[in-house]
Amino acid sequence: FIADQLDYLRKSRPTAVNLFEAAGRLENLVAASAARDGSSPPDVVADYLREAEAMLDRDLQDNRNIGKFGAEFILKARASPEGKVSVVTHCNTGSLATAGWGTALGIIRDLNKTGHLEHVYCTETRPYNQGGRLTAYELVYENIPATLITDSMASALLRTKSIAAIVVGADRVAANGDTANKIGTYQLAITAKFHGVEFIVAAPSTSIDLSLASGDQIPIEQRPGIEVVQIRGEKLSGSPGEVETVHIAAKGIDVWNPSFDVTPASLISAIATEKGIITKAAGSDSFDVASFLATH
């Protein structure tokens, strides 16, 4: 039963390699536990829960390390004379997506905690609005100075505001540093490059897939078109918390809805991991991720 459910979880997000890593680890543990002499179903469940709780603790610590390393990198590269920075983030990479601190949002939390955050701008992240629904909620809840923008406003923002960095998460990082992340990440990297803004990927080492030489080999999940032409939100009238779905596009229009895109390593300034910061060698357009992991 457990193996079947883990396989079901794998199929839910084919682009996210860390989900496969975690499911594989738990599946191996369950198999070993069940094969042990005298093992019973309650024993297998207890072993599973023990490992799952340990994974939760490790993930939280990894997130805090990513936040620390990423914040230090930004401050060293881009801090103003007052020691403060403004940043942009995309999708949701906070406590609602991780064990309770976050990857890219963990970097922002660390900047805010140490008094170095001037402001954060979060994209709404169409078509599913994870930025507007989830990231914005976390920022408001924690009283972090923040402003919501539509995805199409990012370039204008970088041209008119003093932005130190764009920080994003990662669903899968290839051996050369090419990174698959929520759709819209690629265009943010392009505008960051044009405007001379640091573009930082925040990723635990479990999101790195050394079996893939480049991002061309990363599978990209295709989502139902209905997510683009319909939107769900709280009703302005009626009972508090009551939601409804409305159609926002011409009926019958065709839809292309990839859930992720791949940002080339050449557009990425650094990859913040729990083990430290991965940077490119001078003059190189790609990262040597394998060498970094082998020495850290």
Side-chain angles (χ1 to χ4, degrees):
F1 171 81
I2 293 177
D4 288 343
Q5 298 309 304
L6 289 172
D7 190 52
Y8 177 76
L9 287 176
R10 287 189 186 97
K11 294 176 181 176
S12 70
R13 295 187 67 201
T15 306
V17 70
N18 60 340
L19 177 60
F20 284 76
E21 189 275 338
R25 185 189 309 173
L26 289 169
E27 191 170 40
N28 289 338
L29 178 138
V30 166
S33 177
R36 197 168 53 237
D37 288 343
S39 179
S40 66
D43 293 331
V44 174
V45 170
D47 288 341
Y48 180 95
L49 291 176
R50 192 157 39 243
E51 177 58 21
E53 290 170 354
M55 290 170 63
L56 181 69
D57 292 338
R58 288 194 298 269
D59 187 62
L60 180 57
Q61 186 56 55
D62 287 349
N63 285 187
R64 290 188 179 277
N65 290 338
I66 290 170
K68 176 179 179 293
F69 291 133
E72 289 173 350
F73 179 86
I74 293 172
L75 292 173
K76 183 177 180 180
R78 296 284 176 161
S80 68
E82 296 77 28
K84 291 200 171 187
V85 295
S86 292
V87 300
V88 175
T89 193
H90 188 58
C91 200
N92 180 254
T93 58
S95 59
L96 296 175
T98 64
W101 185 251
T103 53
L105 198 54
I107 293 174
I108 293 168
R109 281 193 168 98
D110 203 277
L111 288 168
N112 187 62
K113 181 185 68 174
T114 57
H116 292 109
L117 181 68
E118 183 73 34
H119 206 84
V120 55
Y121 296 86
C122 64
T123 63
E124 63 175 350
T125 320
R126 286 281 292 147
Y128 221 59
N129 294 325
Q130 294 98 324
R133 293 183 298 109
L134 306 178
T135 301
Y137 171 83
E138 293 197 51
L139 294 169
V140 170
Y141 182 82
E142 296 193 23
N143 293 313
I144 295 174
T147 297
L148 178 67
I149 63 170
T150 66
D151 299 359
S152 56
M153 295 175 182
S155 292
L157 177 72
L158 266 58
R159 185 175 182 179
T160 57
K161 302 287 186 180
S162 179
I163 303 297
I166 296 177
V167 291
V168 301
D171 284 81
R172 190 180 300 218
V173 180
N176 70 339
D178 290 352
T179 296
N181 192 49
K182 184 56 59 184
I183 192 72
T185 301
Y186 183 17
Q187 65 190 26
L188 287 174
I190 293 171
T191 194
K193 188 76 168 183
F194 181 83
H195 290 93
V197 170
E198 303 287 344
F199 189 86
I200 299 164
V201 169
S205 57
T206 52
S207 290
I208 296 171
D209 188 353
L210 295 179
S211 72
L212 303 184
S214 74
D216 293 338
Q217 300 167 287
I218 298 176
I220 300 298
E221 178 187 357
Q222 298 291 325
R223 299 286 300 173
I226 200 74
E227 294 178 354
V228 176
V229 300
Q230 293 185 356
I231 195 165
R232 183 177 174 85
E234 188 174 356
K235 295 180 66 173
L236 296 178
S237 59
S239 304
E242 187 177 357
V243 298
E244 66 178 336
T245 300
V246 297
H247 205 87
I248 59 172
K251 293 185 177 180
I253 187 68
D254 193 23
V255 175
W256 182 58
N257 187 22
S259 191
F260 306 93
D261 54 30
V262 176
T263 299
S266 59
L267 298 178
I268 299 171
S269 306
I271 302 172
T273 77
E274 79 279 10
K275 301 175 184 293
I277 299 292
I278 311 176
T279 56
K280 290 173 281 193
S284 177
D285 278 339
S286 63
F287 295 84
D288 187 353
V289 179
S291 292
F292 174 87
L293 293 179
T295 57
H296 290 75

